[in-house]
Each structure stands twice: as C-alpha cells, then as structure tokens.
Amino acid sequence: MNENSLKKALTKINLGALRYFDSIGSTNDEALAWAADDAKDLSIVIADEQTQGRGRLNRKWFTPKGSGLAFSLILRTTLRPHLSRTVGLAALSIADALLKHGLSAQIKWPNDILLNERKLAGILVESVWSGEDMDTAVIGMGINVMKEAVPPFHLLQFPAISLGEVLGKPPDRERFLHDILAAFITRLPQIGSDELIKEWEEKLAFRGQRVQIINELEQKTKQSTMNTVTGKLLGLEPDGSLRLRSEHGNLVTVHFGDVSLRPSADTI
Ligand code: BT5
C-alpha cells in the first residue's frame, strides 16, 4: 500500500483529499487535527501501521504494519442531528463490503463488527466542536485483513478474527477500502431514514438474547452507581440507542457512552 496505489484504487470515489502514512500514531488524531484546520468534507487519513491506535476509553487498537486497514473519514456536512447514527452507517458500510465476499457480518452494539462471533473490526467516532456547534465528525475504522493483524488472545476483551482466516486468502486491502467507502457514500443520504435503523437492527448481534451492558467508566473508576444492566436485547431506538427488556420486565434504553455489551448465559 502506498499513496499512489491508494489514489489509483480510489479514483472513482468522490473524496475531499487523502493523506497516507506508512506509520502514524493514530489516524483519528491526524484527522481531528486536519479537521480543526482546513480539511474538506469526505477527506481521509489512512496508515499502513498505527503505533498509538485507539479504541474507546483510550483502549488500544492494534494495527501492525502491512496487516490491516486503519483509516479515518472526515465528515463536515449533513450530520448534526444524526451524529449518533454515524456509527451504524459505518458499520453497515463495512457489512456491505463483506457481503461482496459472501460474508454476513453482525454488528455488536455499539461499535464492533463480528464474523463468526469474533471481532473483525472496530469503529471510533469522535467529533470536533466549534463553540456550541458540532462542526465535524471523524469516523475511524480498523479492520483485520491479514491474520497478523489479530492481537494475542491475552490482550483481548473479546475474541478476534481476520478476513485472511475467514476467507483463506485475505482480500486486497485497497480494493476492500474502496468497497467500504463506496458503500458509505451510497448510504450517506440514508442517514436520517427509518431504513437505516431497520437494517442496522437486522444485523445486531445477540438480538432476542440475554445480554449484559457494562458501564466501563464506572468499572474503571470503581464509582459504581448502576454498573450493569441485564436484559433481553430488543432492538434500537431512532437515535441508535439500544432497547432492552430488563429482568424485571421494564423497557430500558441504553445510550451511547462508555458501555460494553456481553452475551449473558441464562435465558429470560
Ligand atoms: C474499538 O474500540 O473497537 C474502536 C477501534 C477503532 C480503531 C480505528 S483504526 C483507525 C482509527 N484510528 C484510531 O486510533 N482508531 C480508529 P473498543 O470498542 O474500545 O475496543 C477496543 C478493544 O478491542 C481493545 O481493548 C482490545 O481488547 C480489542 N482490540 C484491539 N485491537 C484489536 C484488533 N486489531 N482486532 C480485534 N480486537 C482488537
């Protein structure tokens, strides 16, 4: 992968501009700085290696050299009322690209893409505010293409997988990036639609099953108020929040934030 080959692979995609790095700390950090400066809508930062790749709550995202896709897309328009839906839009775009390889992905709310019940990809949406207004969203996506992208088991909270392992042979990274971006741009006009939520809901992992929602921040700081919610996963609210029926039969809405979802053994 290099800047020329990427530009060639993406000629038909209507991007603002592209910045490529052989190695970088985090593409999201570079994109946030670029967005605060003069980045055009739909500009992209992509790297062959990340040395400080981030997940939520500053967890690490591993991107060893030459093995994955790590990029951040800068969105400047059409978003303000729908920021919470961008993660769903990104997840569905990755799912669309996977479908081209005959693979049916599931979306583990809020931000993981699963194949064979293992994590293939993660999404990190961050925003830039100017004054009271949200100016820009940066949508970071990390995808394990080759098997070398998958971190050692002891570093993981959830089992991981790569496309190389699933398909036998990894797809061309630039082609796969092309497919994700093409899907994203095609889906962008859907961002406010009921259809987006419906499609996102249909792909939700553990739907109809008993799950636990864990407040990671409270766990980390040990300032527990209501650490864990257990319930049956019903679906999504219009803003992409998760809808559960609790063990006590109440409807519970879980908003985005520092939460993780885990399957829970018993049935309700
Ligand atoms: C995520 O966070 O899954 C969001 C990951 C977003 C990464 C992209 S890459 C491009 C852009 N630039 C960045 O710096 N970030 C974005 P979270 O749900 O918090 O999951 C983090 C957890 O995933 C870690 O604590 C590990 O357990 C696990 N993990 C780390 N690297 C992984 C990998 N390559 N494959 C599967 N799991 C991984």
Side-chain angles (χ1 to χ4, degrees), residues 26-27 50 54-56 59-60 62 111 119 144 157:
S26 153
T27 57
Q50 290 188 120
R54 292 187 284 111
R56 295 174 307 137
R59 286 190 288 245
K60 281 189 188 310
F62 294 88
N111 65 322
K119 182 161 171 173
N144 298 329
Q157 294 175 316

Side-chain angles (χ1 to χ4, degrees), residues 114 143 160 245:
L114 307 185
I143 298 133
R245 184 172 304 284

Side-chain angles (χ1 to χ4, degrees), residues 25-29 45 50 52-64 69-72 110-112 119-124 126 139-144 149-151 155-161 259-260:
S26 153
T27 57
N28 261 37
D29 287 344
V45 178
Q50 290 188 120
Q52 305 286 333
R54 292 187 284 111
R56 295 174 307 137
L57 275 177
N58 276 333
R59 286 190 288 245
K60 281 189 188 310
W61 181 263
F62 294 88
T63 318
L69 268 176
F71 62 94
S72 303
N111 65 322
D112 295 345
K119 182 161 171 173
L120 176 85
I123 299 164
L124 179 67
E126 296 179 298
I139 303 172
M141 301 188 221
I143 298 133
N144 298 329
V150 175
L155 295 175
L156 295 173
Q157 294 175 316
F158 196 85
I161 200 163
V259 293
S260 284

